[in-house]
Amino acid sequence: MAYTKFEEKLANLINAGFPYVYIPSYEEERVLSTVNRVVGDRELVRSVRKVMTWAQTDGIQCADSKGPDRSTQAPMAALEYIGKYNDPAVFILKDFHVYFGPDRQTRPDYALIRKLRDILPNLKMNRKTVIFLSPQLVIPSDMEKDLSVLEFCLPDAVEIERMLDDLTAGLQPSSIRLTGHEKKQLVRSALGLTLQEAENAFCRAIVQTRGLDKSAISIIYEEKNQVVRKTGVLEFIKSDLSADDIGGLENLKKWLIKRNNTWQDRAKQYNLPAPKGVLITGVPGCGKSLTAKAMSTIWGLPLLKLDMGKIFGGIVGSSEENMRKAIATAEAVAPSILWVDEIEKGFAGTQSSGDSGTSARVFGTFLTWMQDKTAPVFVIATSNDISRLPPELLRKGRFDEIFFVDLPTQKEREKIFQVHLKKRVDSSEVCHWVNSSPDICQELANTSEGFSGAEIEQAVIASLYDAFYADRGLTREDLIRSIRDTVPLSVTQREQLTSLRAWAEKRAVLATAREDREHDLQDFSENADYRPGKQGGRLVDFDL
């Protein structure tokens, strides 16, 4: 019989006589069922042991007893009972973490902690194991050396599919409108939920669709969104943007499209690991955040935004816990995309000691996870000033690639104008004097050299305000005037942008495709205006 890693580890701890084991999990019933199965299996646990549970509401109860022992409801009375019990046994204490000081406003119950340490020799001598089962991990410093933490994994695809089969067993066969492939997709979409959460989501889908069909997958993702919202440090980003909404950056888009579906089983046939992530740096307003939002649609995965401002909470120690919570949530809803916007603002101060090392500890947690993570969580980090980032974050192994997004080239500006004119002008009933024709886009692109994508969008919006005020359709002259009235970032921050391009020359890959930059690849003197032509970044193409 095949055993899970959790079952084997738990059996080894019990056989070795470990006195205290801590299992943090919300899935109480599933943990209890697993512990009973492990203890009752003579191939795993060699000697016979009773399994007894304790809760403050009932006291200690053995599975083969008529009822709970009400005299042991108080936690101290329960520990007295455990200390006097002289046969090998496994005691499961539910929610005992409330006595360990679960937050910094609640003091630990030192008398109980002292009692746990007093009965420690008796537990070892009589081969008894005490398991703390709680939804959150709280370990008093006095017991760190005596206690082993055992992670209880979320249900795998086999468990979820078995539960789904049990749910649908009583339904009419005609109401199950799923192919074999769609059923596997549905099961995979529920990975990251607890068994109870998955069951609730499936029940809701059955009621809503009067059976089950492929639309149930979207319902499962809605339930995953609930998990994200509860964290308080992650934000679920719902995006309907596509690759077509990104004007230019073809090299970056090709790289992302090539790695689509690499977290699925088919990629394992090629021995491919799931991609770790990508760091996008460059000129502000040139499509970094837009690319992150469009990825959710391109890959068909939930997009989670990590707010570094919420990570660094006001209470001492809460920042580290917030980062761990964010990582755990991202892995719980995997496969997913984790977007860290303006990452330099969160990790720029890791070398200083002004915050008593909090930034360094949070950064270390994130760095270790980036290096060792096995869950299919793709990290897309964006940065406007990459020089402020610690060098440890930039080395290979953290991110698969670093892309540099420069000011758009002539061809990219044409595409950006086309995107915004189609979006705001072509569909309008009153703005019919100009449209997104190639000739118009080319003329506007020629006029807007040195503009970022955001500046192009604002120029289009400003021209529409002029047309609205005059109560007429949009004209070519409105657009040209808006462009000429705009002072672009390439002029106001020329020195900073030149320095940024110099950094990226050998360290990053250019996000623009070769065919889009050929028109602009020409020499220019150092005294010339900042131009997008001779861009920073290595010339690497990711052809499809």
Side-chain angles (χ1 to χ4, degrees):
M1 180 179 176
Y3 299 106
T4 65
K5 290 183 179 179
F6 174 85
E7 291 171 339
E8 291 177 350
K9 287 181 179 178
L10 178 61
N12 289 337
L13 293 176
I14 293 174
N15 288 327
F18 273 61
Y20 295 120
V21 177
Y22 201 123
I23 303 177
S25 176
Y26 283 93
E27 299 187 272
E28 189 173 282
E29 289 302 319
R30 189 165 155 252
V31 173
L32 291 173
S33 175
T34 303
V35 172
N36 277 283
R37 186 169 61 252
V38 168
V39 176
D41 192 326
R42 293 284 77 81
E43 291 185 14
L44 287 173
V45 177
R46 293 182 291 272
S47 60
V48 177
R49 285 174 167 82
K50 282 188 176 182
V51 177
M52 289 178 258
T53 60
W54 175 86
Q56 191 179 35
T57 52
D58 295 324
I60 290 178
Q61 181 172 8
C62 184
D64 56 4
S65 65
K66 294 182 179 179
D69 184 351
R70 300 287 183 181
S71 66
T72 59
Q73 285 181 283
M76 185 63 76
L79 296 183
E80 292 280 0
Y81 180 93
I82 293 171
K84 294 176 181 178
Y85 194 88
N86 293 324
D87 294 325
V90 174
F91 294 91
I92 304 173
L93 308 185
K94 301 177 183 178
D95 299 333
F96 214 81
H97 70 287
V98 298
Y99 307 110
F100 293 158
D103 53 57
R104 285 160 180 81
Q105 284 76 40
T106 306
R107 290 175 57 85
D109 191 324
Y110 292 109
L112 289 179
I113 295 173
R114 180 65 258 176
K115 185 62 178 179
L116 287 168
R117 298 182 67 191
D118 287 342
I119 65 174
L120 186 63
N122 181 272
L123 296 178
K124 292 181 177 179
M125 182 175 64
N126 292 292
R127 303 183 66 80
K128 294 179 289 188
T129 298
V130 175
I131 297 176
F132 299 103
L133 174 57
S134 302
Q136 53 182 298
L137 180 62
V138 183
I139 302 176
S141 57
D142 304 46
M143 295 190 63
E144 286 180 353
K145 304 299 182 183
D146 302 316
L147 192 148
S148 298
V149 179
L150 188 56
E151 295 292 338
F152 188 70
C153 297
L154 290 165
D156 58 18
V158 175
E159 289 181 272
I160 291 176
E161 185 172 4
R162 188 186 303 125
M163 180 268 292
L164 179 60
D165 290 338
D166 291 340
L167 275 179
T168 56
L171 299 178
Q172 292 292 334
S174 58
S175 65
I176 309 300
R177 302 175 295 278
L178 289 170
T179 65
H181 176 68
E182 289 170 346
K183 182 181 178 182
K184 286 184 178 180
Q185 282 186 312
L186 181 61
V187 169
R188 278 199 299 268
S189 70
L191 291 173
L193 298 175
T194 66
L195 207 60
Q196 185 61 52
E197 288 171 334
E199 183 178 353
N200 291 341
F202 287 143
C203 289
R204 178 188 161 193
I206 290 171
V207 172
Q208 192 166 321
T209 63
R210 298 173 182 255
L212 269 184
D213 55 31
K214 63 180 181 181
S215 65
I217 296 175
S218 63
I219 297 175
I220 302 301
Y221 280 127
E222 287 181 21
E223 290 300 315
K224 282 191 172 183
N225 297 346
Q226 293 292 330
V227 175
V228 172
R229 292 192 189 100
K230 292 172 187 175
T231 65
V233 294
L234 288 176
E235 178 186 359
F236 177 80
I237 304 295
K238 191 172 182 179
S239 172
D240 55 359
L241 297 172
S242 67
D244 296 333
D245 294 306
I246 306 173
L249 308 185
E250 296 297 330
N251 213 28
L252 173 57
K253 288 192 286 187
K254 288 174 183 177
W255 189 93
L256 295 172
I257 292 171
K258 270 190 173 183
R259 282 150 183 79
N260 190 14
N261 295 321
T262 50
W263 53 86
Q264 295 184 359
D265 294 339
R266 192 172 69 88
K268 295 179 182 178
Q269 299 173 6
Y270 294 82
N271 292 322
L272 277 176
K276 287 180 176 291
V278 64
L279 175 61
I280 307 176
T281 185
V283 182
C286 288
K288 299 186 294 294
S289 298
L290 183 67
T291 302
K293 293 176 182 178
M295 270 192 66
S296 177
T297 305
I298 295 172
W299 283 12
L301 295 180
L303 176 64
L304 314 177
K305 183 179 180 182
L306 176 61
D307 188 338
M308 296 304 299
K310 293 179 180 178
I311 288 291
F312 292 96
I315 301 175
V316 176
S318 64
S319 302
E320 299 91 319
E321 179 61 29
N322 288 341
M323 177 57 78
R324 287 191 291 268
K325 185 191 298 183
I327 289 172
T329 303
E331 290 189 336
V333 300
S336 60
I337 302 169
L338 182 64
W339 173 25
V340 189
D341 195 24
E342 298 188 3
I343 190 172
E344 74 274 14
K345 293 184 178 179
F347 295 139
T350 56
Q351 306 300 325
S352 67
S353 57
D355 58 358
S356 303
T358 299
S359 297
R361 290 193 297 272
V362 172
F363 175 65
T365 300
F366 183 77
L367 208 64
T368 303
W369 174 73
M370 280 287 294
Q371 183 68 35
D372 300 334
K373 68 183 174 73
T374 56
V377 178
F378 185 87
V379 178
I380 179 166
T382 59
S383 171
N384 290 328
D385 186 2
I386 202 168
S387 62
R388 297 174 60 193
L389 287 175
E392 309 96 283
L393 187 64
L394 304 179
R395 77 165 180 81
K396 284 290 185 181
R398 315 294 192 200
F399 294 100
D400 297 314
E401 197 61 82
I402 299 175
F403 280 94
F404 178 71
V405 177
D406 206 339
L407 289 174
T409 63
Q410 165 76 22
K411 288 189 177 181
E412 286 181 320
R413 291 196 301 276
E414 292 178 18
K415 294 176 183 178
I416 295 170
F417 271 111
Q418 187 179 50
V419 167
H420 291 298
L421 289 176
K422 275 186 176 180
K423 177 181 177 182
R424 300 182 184 277
V425 177
D426 289 4
S427 60
S428 172
E429 296 180 359
V430 296
C431 301
H432 58 275
W433 292 1
V434 70
N435 54 34
S436 60
S437 66
D439 291 341
I440 289 291
C441 292
Q442 185 177 19
E443 181 183 7
L444 295 175
N446 288 332
T447 311
S448 59
E449 185 174 4
F451 275 49
S452 68
E455 289 164 344
I456 290 174
E457 181 182 17
Q458 289 306 310
V460 173
I461 293 174
S463 64
L464 284 169
Y465 273 117
D466 291 339
F468 171 77
Y469 177 75
D471 194 18
R472 55 169 172 76
L474 181 69
T475 66
R476 166 188 164 278
E477 288 72 22
D478 292 330
L479 290 162
I480 297 294
R481 184 170 56 253
S482 294
I483 292 170
R484 288 176 176 168
D485 289 346
T486 301
V487 181
L489 201 67
S490 58
V491 174
T492 58
Q493 295 191 11
R494 179 176 179 272
E495 294 78 11
Q496 294 92 321
L497 298 183
T498 303
S499 174
L500 183 60
R501 292 177 76 195
W503 182 94
E505 189 71 42
K506 298 288 179 66
R507 299 175 177 87
V509 173
L510 193 59
T512 301
R514 186 179 299 275
E515 60 268 22
D516 286 341
R517 59 181 176 255
E518 283 176 348
H519 180 275
D520 287 350
L521 286 176
Q522 50 186 297
D523 293 332
F524 63 97
S525 67
E526 291 185 1
N527 295 324
D529 289 338
Y530 184 88
R531 295 169 58 88
K534 196 171 182 181
Q535 300 185 335
R538 292 182 285 116
L539 306 182
V540 179
D541 283 311
F542 300 98
D543 294 327
L544 293 177

